[in-house]
Amino acid sequence: MSLLENIRVFVRVVELGSLSAAGRHMRVSPAVASHRMKELEKHVGVRLFNRTTRQLSPTEHGRLFYEGCLEVLHALEQAEATVAAVGGRPRGAIRVTVPLGLGRRVIGPAIPDFCALYPEIEVRLRLSDYVIDLAREGVEVAIRLAVLGDSSLTMRKICDCERVLCAAPGYLEAQGIPRTPEELLKHRCLLLRYPGSTQFRWPLQTKDGPAKLSISGPFESDDGDILTDWALAGQGIVMKPLFEVAEHLRSGALLPVLTETPPEPVSLAILYPHRRLLAPKIKAFADFMHERCLDDLGKTLQGLTLAELQDTAAL
């Protein structure tokens, strides 16, 4: 068996802590992953893992070997990037994570066009509103829609995206229209919840500066599109990026509220691990999606802004 492939599987087993998880990631069965680890241990002549019925953890030798393997794989990646940059075509597989709404509306539909331009690149797309650890999950590119802080990742910003609070006319007729941010505390607010999520605290822009409200409500989900569906059904107030609800605002199916104290905007950005030389496949993907996102969001909004919503609300 290929020593290099055994090393790749070994690294994922260490990072994921499981033969089955590493096998799924590498697209091999747990039996194959186990066999590769036995072959690798035979090759290096030491035991690399402590095995129990519930846990698989690296031995001291295994941890040392893991660090060396990372250097080997990184050097190979840099060598491949150097050769490709000189004249080769971008090629290889890219694992990408994207928020659900953005992935369904923009990134997913753009993948076939990207692959038509770069037929030697395979895109493995993972849609999730969870913020995942790129290194642990073996993901090379993340497109995120969030308030982005300091990070060890390289960030290529695409644009800032305005957000809006909105609800169905029926809900507002029944429950009343909130006139101040504090009145949100009395309303049914639709929550985006998952481990590590902070979106149950809505950051609003007020005349006195940023204010974070710990809102609540009987409905929550880890899928932002479900929240939109609930809002359309009259179940409460939702906070959404403006482009995700533009069509519903234009049709009147959703009405904006508190437009004078809107949520803080979020940044749309492409992130990837810092590298001395960026792999051509990642550069090609980032360049393509940067332009596609700007184009698609511009078409979706068609000039719709919070300022326009404020004028409409004032009427």
Side-chain angles (χ1 to χ4, degrees):
M1 288 188 179
S2 166
L3 176 60
L4 182 59
E5 285 306 306
N6 290 351
I7 287 175
R8 293 187 195 276
V9 175
F10 167 74
V11 166
R12 297 313 294 150
V13 172
V14 172
E15 292 174 343
L16 299 178
S18 163
L19 283 169
S20 58
R24 286 192 299 271
H25 180 88
M26 301 298 294
R27 298 186 173 183
V28 300
S29 69
V32 170
S34 177
H35 183 64
R36 286 186 178 277
M37 293 307 93
K38 291 177 181 177
E39 287 288 319
L40 191 58
E41 287 181 324
K42 182 179 179 181
H43 176 81
V44 299
V46 297
R47 185 162 52 90
L48 298 174
F49 291 102
N50 292 314
R51 296 171 172 85
T52 68
T53 56
R54 294 187 177 183
Q55 190 174 11
L56 192 69
S57 60
T59 62
E60 182 178 354
H61 288 110
R63 286 191 293 270
L64 292 172
F65 188 62
Y66 169 75
E67 295 299 328
C69 288
L70 288 181
E71 293 181 10
V72 168
L73 294 178
H74 179 64
L76 178 62
E77 180 182 299
Q78 292 296 302
E80 290 175 339
T82 300
V83 171
V86 170
R89 289 174 57 83
R91 60 181 301 172
I94 307 178
R95 295 177 177 86
V96 182
T97 178
V98 184
L100 286 162
L102 183 70
R104 289 167 177 157
R105 292 171 180 80
V106 180
I107 305 302
I111 296 296
D113 293 339
F114 172 76
C115 290
L117 285 176
Y118 300 98
E120 295 183 58
I121 297 179
E122 300 175 13
V123 179
R124 298 172 185 171
L125 184 64
R126 176 176 174 180
L127 300 186
S128 174
D129 283 330
Y130 288 58
V131 177
I132 69 170
D133 184 319
L134 269 63
R136 176 172 173 77
E137 299 293 335
V139 173
E140 293 158 292
V141 179
I143 300 179
R144 288 184 178 161
L145 190 64
V147 178
L148 300 172
D150 293 335
S151 171
S152 61
L153 302 172
T154 298
M155 182 182 79
R156 180 175 178 182
K157 186 173 178 179
I158 299 174
C159 63
D160 286 326
C161 297
E162 294 180 315
R163 290 190 288 182
V164 63
L165 300 177
C166 53
Y171 173 84
L172 297 175
E173 290 173 8
Q175 304 297 327
I177 300 174
R179 302 296 182 184
T180 66
E182 291 72 24
E183 289 185 21
L184 287 174
L185 301 177
K186 303 175 183 178
H187 278 267
R188 295 157 61 101
C189 296
L190 306 173
L191 309 179
L192 184 65
R193 279 238 198 214
Y194 51 81
S197 170
T198 60
Q199 294 205 34
F200 56 90
R201 299 185 68 201
W202 285 358
L204 305 186
Q205 303 174 77
T206 74
K207 62 181 181 180
D208 298 320
K212 288 189 176 181
L213 295 178
S214 298
I215 46 81
S216 62
F219 292 79
E220 62 181 56
S221 174
D222 61 357
D223 183 337
D225 281 351
I226 294 296
L227 302 187
T228 302
D229 292 341
W230 286 339
L232 289 167
Q235 297 302 318
I237 298 174
V238 69
M239 177 176 69
K240 300 293 293 184
L242 186 55
F243 75 86
E244 286 193 13
V245 291
E247 63 176 302
H248 304 307
L249 292 169
R250 288 196 179 93
S251 70
L254 293 175
L255 298 177
V257 299
L258 294 174
T259 55
E260 296 297 328
T261 54
E264 293 180 345
V266 288
S267 295
L268 176 59
I270 303 171
L271 295 94
Y272 39 81
H274 176 72
R275 294 287 187 270
R276 182 178 59 82
L277 182 62
L278 184 63
K281 63 181 181 179
I282 296 178
K283 184 179 186 305
F285 185 82
D287 288 346
F288 181 92
M289 290 304 169
H290 184 278
E291 296 306 315
R292 178 59 69 93
C293 286
L294 287 176
D295 185 55
D296 281 9
L297 266 57
K299 290 177 180 177
T300 298
L301 291 171
Q302 295 180 351
L304 182 65
T305 64
L306 278 175
E308 181 181 333
L309 293 177
Q310 290 169 0
D311 292 340
T312 302
L315 297 175

